[in-house]
Amino acid sequence: MRFSEKEYHLPFFDEYGYVRKQCPKCGEYFWTLNPDQRLCGESTTYGCADYTFINDPPTRRKYTLREMREAFLSFFEKRGHKRIKPYLLVARWRDDLYFTNASIIDFQPYVTEGIIPPPANPLVIVQPCVRFPDIESVGSTFGRHLTIFEMGGHHAFNYPEKQVYWKDETVRLHHEFVTKVLGVKDEEVIYKEGIWSGGGNAGPDVESIIRGLEVATLVFMKYKVVDGEFVELPIKTVDTGYGIERFTWLSQGCISGFEAIYGDLLEKIKMMVGVEVPDEKLLADISRVSGLIAISKTSSRAENWRRVAQKVGVDAQELSKMIDPLVDIYAVADHTKCLTFLLAEGVVPSNVREGYLTRLLIRRTCRLLRNLSIEDKLFDIVEMQISFWSKDFPHLKEMRDEILSLLSIEKAKYDETLLRGRSLVRRMIREHKSKGVSEIPLEDLINLYDSHGLTPEVVSEMAEEEGVEIHIPENFYSYVAERHMAAPREERSPITEGIRDIEDEFSDLPETRKLYYEDAYVKEFKAKVLRVSGNRVVLDKTAFYPEGGGQPADQGFLEFSGRRSKVKDVQKMGGIVVHFLEGPIPEEGKEVRGIIDWKRRISLMRSHTATHIIMGAARRILGEHVWQAGAQKGVERSRIDFSHPKRLSFEEIKKIESLANKVVRDNRPVKVFWMPREEAEREYGFRIYQGGVVPGRDIRIVKVEDWDVEACGGTHCRNTGEIGIIKIIRTERIQDGVERIIFSVGESAVNVIQETEKRILQIADLLNVQPEKVERTVSNLVSELKYLRKEKEKLSNSLARYLAEKWLLSSEEINGVKLVSKIVNAEEANIDLLIKVSAEIVKQEERAVSALVCVDNNARLVVNVGREALKLGVDAREIAREMGSKLGGGGSGRPNFAQGGGTRIEGVKEAIEKAREVILSLKR
């Protein structure tokens, strides 16, 4: 899609004398003050321009990143924009994506769609952002691509009744900043037309190009994207993105953006590596044409490097040898900064959500460090990053210990993965070879990474040892990252099964008055029936809580006209609460009396409040990386899932439980109130979204005094003392990076404790000891059991050796091998013993083939082939398969060992005969 010229033709361009042209190379339209200019002036893979600012910056002076950030903020602040603090890197307020990848993300969808007002209008912000799609281009493009960067945004939200400023003023403000503040000449600023789409919105944009480098994108967001179609929005948003790092690079004119961003830190990494930096002049020449290097749809990176080599007059292979270490150093600087910031926000590396992308970044960093032979310097570099950036982002220093702890755990997991991975890759390669496939396909590479954490470079090394070459797609990491950048659709809008089908039936009704929010302790109420449809009833008001937020629906009864129906389920559809009845149905317009199952409701209230208390305790005991990943409240038992990199120890569980119960004993007030979303975020931060994203302009806040604050739609106790007691029953590891605590509260918790005591007393009675001596007695019994098992194993091995010697004496000489065949009743020798006997037979006699059958309710067989028998062509798999066929089953395994069986026990003699036939059929 391309917008017409009128979307871009602004009074500013006419006033300054800009002319519109179309670039013959890339085909894009642009505006320039030079009427003779043919090309658009942007340095990309199309080769429309070079970076002419290298060693020749166009700005009045050089800026550090901090100075450029402040210059940008101050300029717009002086022009009526309110300075806003940056949001988090992890987009906790969004349910459709994991990371903040642009400053406008901070205000989507609630501000841009008019649900809430902006924090200021207009406003200015410098927002740290994370992007993974171009991860392979980081380093090789000398600073154009980064995984972590700061985006400067000045935003204006134009309402139908209130216009702030739009296209023309946006471009004028930008032009004033780059020319008057930074000192760039008017004629050096080119404006290129484009279309921007992201976060569900879209609009025309103009990109600012200065000496080949795109430094800013000015988006005029006026559409919402619905099923690929552009639908005009009532609110028109000025969405600008200024690359603060790019402006800094432009002002310094240094070899790469990394020198501009990292300065001394980069030099320290170079010293660690001991790399010999290429000639400065050659580096400058390469940097000028580095816009050619990024992977594109039309050319590979290798092809683009060849173009660079031709441009600078160097052999492509020689250029690669010289430049690759430097490119890896640049990428290490970028990646270690990014992972430091992500870990500081409590992201636990895992195989899901934001944890997946963080793990990808860490493992790619480890690979780059290995390329540079400084894999042991990972923690040193991260320490340097914390020190370097904490001046501007003090939370990094505060989170230092957690950053290093999370990284240490993940690094240990990666090392374990490498140890386990060798046999896995070897097995996969051999399976492919057996099928005549000479290389590992892309899907298997992705599976090895997704399921087993093995990077393609590691797989390639392992494959080389097996004599197999692997082609690694140059955009592998971008490809897998792209698959995990946004939340799956089912995570975004969970809808109770069948609810959507009946939603329209009640859409014309007024919103149900929610008595459970007005007073969670209402046990009975009277209401009027507004609508009946089948067994579904809508009332004008209700105290029945509908299922939501991990809290099950209330149950109880509706009484009317001397009759009673059970309320078996309650669901909320928009603002309407629907009751599902079992029994007689009331008539529309009639009055009913609602009776809540109070024992159930109060149990759920206690469980819900306890969930908030446990989360606060877990965060205080385990660290700030603890974020809720799910919860389900129950009457007897409840569960809460949260991010944590390893299994909880018994000591940690005890501490969490003790701390949670202290809060219960403190009898702290639990306050519930509504707040405008923007005020709640400003006062309490994004921890309020602990339980997930909450829709709406006003959000309901549940505050446990001096302990926990969350946006929550559930019912709660008035104070923590009402819970009585919290008992953690057990913990589970539900997935990598997520722990689950299962707990009970109140009377149910007392029942759990009493049941545990009862079991201990029963065990004490069985052991004939006092309860306090159970632990020592059981410990002694376990030790004795272990000893007896070892003795049993010794006896079993001795028996296997004896039987092997005995049965070898009755072996048959067939076609050069010794066949030992036996049919044994399971009471004489079970299958485990037969496996040992079979192995011992071929150990004692390498020409032997053992074919043993164990008969019980069915028949199981085991076949072992000795080393010399294997050389004669005997295959255990074939023998097992043929024997199994006579037992009504089959067999499989390896050439030297196989198992099988079937239910046809009358065929055991035929099975033994089949073993003889297979050996006789061998060609000698």
Side-chain angles (χ1 to χ4, degrees), residues 768-785:
N768 197 28
V769 297
Q770 293 298 315
E772 60 267 22
K773 293 182 180 179
V774 165
E775 184 181 358
R776 185 189 300 172
T777 306
V778 170
S779 179
N780 291 337
L781 285 172
V782 170
S783 297
E784 188 176 337
L785 181 61

Side-chain angles (χ1 to χ4, degrees), residues 817 846-849 865-875 922:
V817 302
E846 293 188 347
R847 284 195 304 121
V849 174
V865 178
R867 190 176 299 171
E868 293 301 318
L870 273 172
K871 292 177 182 176
L872 294 172
V874 183
D875 191 323
L922 293 172

Side-chain angles (χ1 to χ4, degrees), residues 827-839:
E827 293 176 0
E828 299 173 45
N830 63 25
I831 191 67
D832 293 329
L833 178 58
L834 286 192
I835 290 171
K836 288 185 177 182
V837 175
S838 184

Side-chain angles (χ1 to χ4, degrees), residues 610-826:
T611 300
H612 290 217
I613 292 171
I614 292 171
M615 273 305 300
R619 191 163 61 251
R620 285 164 174 83
I621 297 299
L622 304 174
E624 290 297 315
H625 63 270
V626 170
W627 282 82
Q628 186 174 314
Q632 184 63 47
K633 294 82 184 176
V635 175
E636 300 292 333
R637 294 184 177 189
S638 300
R639 61 171 170 80
I640 184 165
D641 307 331
F642 56 86
S643 54
H644 189 56
K646 57 183 179 179
R647 289 307 318 268
L648 291 176
S649 68
F650 177 71
E651 284 302 313
E652 288 169 333
I653 295 166
K654 217 164 64 169
K655 286 179 181 177
I656 292 168
E657 184 180 86
S658 296
L659 189 54
N661 278 301
K662 182 183 181 304
V663 175
V664 172
R665 291 193 303 274
D666 289 346
N667 199 26
R668 302 185 187 207
V670 179
K671 296 178 181 177
V672 180
F673 49 91
W674 294 83
M675 285 184 80
R677 176 183 296 275
E678 67 277 13
E679 288 181 23
E681 290 176 352
R682 188 162 52 247
E683 185 166 346
Y684 300 115
F686 293 103
R687 279 278 178 192
I688 60 173
Y689 300 127
Q690 190 75 238
V693 177
V694 180
R697 185 202 184 287
D698 294 322
I699 57 179
R700 188 168 176 267
I701 297 294
V702 176
K703 181 180 180 180
V704 180
E705 188 177 82
D706 297 329
W707 190 254
D708 182 80
V709 182
E710 292 184 34
C712 178
T715 55
H716 287 270
C717 302
R718 290 194 182 105
N719 54 66
T720 60
E722 291 181 29
I723 294 168
I725 187 172
I726 296 171
K727 179 62 189 169
I728 295 178
I729 301 167
R730 67 176 187 276
T731 66
E732 297 173 354
R733 190 71 163 171
I734 62 165
Q735 65 187 38
D736 189 26
V738 179
E739 282 286 284
R740 170 173 289 171
I741 285 178
I742 297 167
F743 65 95
S744 286
V745 301
E747 187 180 332
S748 297
V750 173
N751 292 339
V752 169
I753 294 166
Q754 290 177 340
E755 188 62 34
T756 303
E757 287 178 347
K758 180 182 173 183
R759 290 196 191 102
I760 291 170
L761 289 171
Q762 288 174 336
I763 293 167
D765 191 46
L766 284 171
L767 297 173
N768 197 28
V769 297
Q770 293 298 315
E772 60 267 22
K773 293 182 180 179
V774 165
E775 184 181 358
R776 185 189 300 172
T777 306
V778 170
S779 179
N780 291 337
L781 285 172
V782 170
S783 297
E784 188 176 337
L785 181 61
K786 287 179 180 176
Y787 171 76
L788 290 173
R789 281 177 177 165
K790 286 180 182 176
E791 289 300 305
K792 180 188 173 187
E793 185 69 11
K794 288 178 185 176
L795 290 171
S796 180
N797 290 338
S798 297
L799 180 58
R801 284 193 296 272
Y802 167 75
L803 290 175
E805 290 174 9
K806 181 180 176 183
W807 293 351
L808 269 168
L809 295 174
S810 58
S811 62
E812 302 175 64
E813 187 83 26
I814 304 175
N815 221 351
V817 302
K818 289 186 174 183
L819 174 64
V820 178
S821 58
K822 287 286 179 183
I823 301 168
V824 183
N825 192 288

